[in-house]
Amino acid sequence: MTLAPLPAQPAGVAWPTQEWPTGDLPAALDRRRFEALLNTAFETDAVGETHALVVVQGGRLVFERYDAAHGPDDTYPSWSKAKSITQALVGLLVGDGKLDIHAPADVPEWKTPGDPRAAITLDQLLRMSSGLKFVEDYVPGHVSDVIEMLFQSGKGDVARYAASQPLEHAPGAYWSYASGTSNIVARAAGQAAGDLKAYMFARLFGPLGMTSPIPKFDAAGTFIGSSFCYASARDFARFGLLYLRGGVWEGRQLLPPGWVDYARTPTFQQPGVTEGPYGAHWWLGVAGEGSFSANGYDGQFTVAVPDLDMVVVRHGATPLDKKDALKVWMGEFVDAFR
């Protein structure tokens, strides 16, 4: 398939490493529709609570709004947006020659001779196609591996919990969204980097000017890359802009060439899947064809929209029964700029 071209930083627009350059909303914006959508987000409960909304277009901050309890200096939960940060860290390590996503993943739990899980690659983990059993369910009282991993018996060593799950499908043959796979990946990244916390600040957050991130690690020292990296909405927008720019920052290729295209290349999904499409630790299409996004539980979004040269960040508290309504709202909000 042909991927939508990624826009370059406009000439004369400063990179937001220190401060966000600001601009005006586009003259062609449908203001009535825009205001109605803002009203839905901030003044009604149709999509739950909206705490923060940031819009970057043409590399400039053109709009931001917060509810009464939040502001630009607050940090917001990433939930599964952390998965896309994990994908970036893997990309940096691939560029350093320390990881090969197409080789079998280095997972201690799979070292027994004859273990079929030993064939699973980082690519299959990043594409949620490992074949491992994992129940991703956030409803209280339901069987849930993600709750068990993050908050109960697995919380001290999230990667070990995930890697100990049995194989249910042949690797690469079945798509199933699973937070456990991201923590297996995060541990592999930590093994390759040595000190992953220092590495992520030196190689990712620092160069972007992201000063607010608070990544969480478990007792075993693994970055909980499935779920926990708090940051300000403006910093999440910086991360989104890195991907919108194809991994380039300040004119330098920060992520390996092609790494962003890898993130937004669709993964095979078997018939009957209702979530998706999905790339490699990034979701695809929430704001129209060509868009790609880091999505998190409770309605966290960082959306890159190449055809509009736009990044939209939304944070809030959206219950599961309004999850689909929020996705529709995100699409309509971006579409108001078209």
Side-chain angles (χ1 to χ4, degrees), residues 21-335:
T22 58
D24 297 324
L25 288 166
L29 177 66
D30 183 339
R31 289 295 184 125
R32 181 173 296 181
R33 185 180 180 194
F34 180 73
E35 293 296 336
L37 287 162
L38 289 177
N39 183 74
T40 296
F42 285 96
E43 308 299 337
T44 80
D45 65 354
V47 294
E49 299 175 11
T50 296
H51 299 156
L53 184 63
V54 169
V55 181
V56 172
Q57 192 165 33
R60 300 178 186 272
L61 180 66
V62 298
F63 180 83
E64 67 179 331
R65 180 170 168 179
Y66 301 87
D67 72 354
H70 299 86
D73 295 328
D74 290 326
T75 57
Y76 299 86
S78 64
W79 287 108
S80 288
K81 295 207 298 184
K83 292 178 171 69
S84 300
I85 292 172
T86 300
Q87 199 263 359
L89 295 172
V90 171
L92 291 167
L93 290 161
V94 167
D96 290 347
K98 294 182 177 180
L99 285 177
D100 178 355
I101 60 170
H102 298 296
D106 183 8
V107 178
E109 291 82 1
W110 304 344
K111 297 295 187 184
T112 302
D115 191 326
R117 300 173 298 180
I120 298 171
T121 65
L122 280 174
D123 171 62
Q124 289 163 343
L125 291 164
L126 287 166
R127 294 194 173 281
M128 298 294 178
S129 302
S130 68
L132 293 171
K133 170 194 165 291
F134 198 88
V135 179
E136 188 87 9
D137 194 324
Y138 294 89
V139 178
H142 287 207
V143 173
S144 173
D145 284 311
V146 66
I147 291 174
E148 191 71 24
M149 175 183 69
L150 293 178
F151 304 111
Q152 297 174 4
S153 66
K155 67 180 182 180
D157 192 341
V158 293
R160 180 172 180 80
Y161 178 88
S164 298
Q165 301 302 312
L167 203 63
E168 280 194 329
H169 304 276
Y174 189 88
W175 184 89
S176 181
Y177 183 81
S179 289
T181 63
S182 304
N183 292 326
I184 298 170
V185 171
R187 182 177 61 180
Q191 291 167 346
D195 182 342
L196 189 60
K197 185 173 184 178
Y199 186 88
M200 67 174 72
F201 278 91
R203 297 292 301 279
L204 182 64
F205 300 149
L208 300 187
M210 293 176 65
T211 59
S212 70
I214 306 170
K216 298 294 186 180
F217 291 73
D218 68 11
T222 298
F223 170 46
I224 308 174
S226 66
S227 311
F228 297 135
C229 186
Y230 296 79
S232 70
R234 290 180 181 181
D235 271 353
F236 278 118
R238 287 181 169 94
F239 181 69
L241 186 65
L242 172 69
Y243 272 73
L244 187 65
R245 297 288 180 253
V248 172
W249 198 264
E250 297 275 10
R252 181 167 68 94
Q253 188 72 51
L254 193 65
L255 297 175
W259 190 251
V260 172
D261 285 352
Y262 167 67
R264 63 195 186 113
T265 297
T267 295
F268 163 79
Q269 292 179 301
Q270 64 277 9
V273 172
T274 57
E275 287 190 287
Y278 197 78
H281 268 44
W282 284 78
W283 293 92
L284 310 179
V286 74
E289 188 173 351
S291 66
F292 56 109
S293 56
N295 304 357
Y297 176 73
D298 233 11
Q300 324 312 322
F301 281 92
T302 298
V303 185
V305 190
D307 67 301
L308 292 172
D309 193 7
M310 177 184 287
V311 174
V312 179
V313 174
R314 186 268 185 184
H315 286 282
T318 297
L320 286 173
D321 63 352
K322 294 177 180 176
K323 175 182 176 182
D324 290 341
L326 177 60
K327 284 187 177 180
V328 170
W329 183 91
M330 291 295 304
E332 290 182 350
F333 181 79
V334 170
D335 197 52

